Amino acid sequence: REAVVSRDGKRVVLKVEGNTLAAVEVVEGLNDGRRVQIVSGLQAGDQVLADARRQLPADARVNPVVQSGSTR
């Protein structure tokens, strides 16, 4: 849920592309208060910034770390 934020009137996530972030518009579906379904805008296996509420520019450089045992 924290990965999705509003920017310029759109719902977006910050997707990891190589070693930078890119703002990607998404469409949300079901929401249980903890998790939100992404209906469109991402593909299975895409990596996103876990907490997009942080004030990072869309082109920020990142060093992706995958949490072991995480669920998708």
Side-chain angles (χ1 to χ4, degrees):
R1 182 179 77 160
E2 289 84 11
V4 184
V5 293
S6 293
R7 288 197 179 178
D8 300 323
K10 300 176 183 175
R11 297 297 282 168
V12 300
V13 298
L14 295 176
K15 179 180 167 184
V16 177
E17 293 185 347
N19 61 351
T20 60
L21 297 175
V24 176
E25 185 175 358
V26 295
V27 175
E28 297 169 277
L30 300 174
N31 181 338
D32 69 4
R34 290 183 338 136
R35 298 171 296 181
V36 62
Q37 175 188 28
I38 301 300
V39 176
S40 68
L42 293 174
Q43 299 294 317
D46 284 349
Q47 291 183 323
V48 299
L49 185 67
D51 189 348
R53 297 173 298 176
R54 297 174 184 237
Q55 296 298 316
L56 294 173
D59 60 351
R61 293 182 64 82
V62 294
N63 182 19
V65 175
V66 178
Q67 181 180 355
S68 63
S70 64
T71 59
R72 293 182 183 213

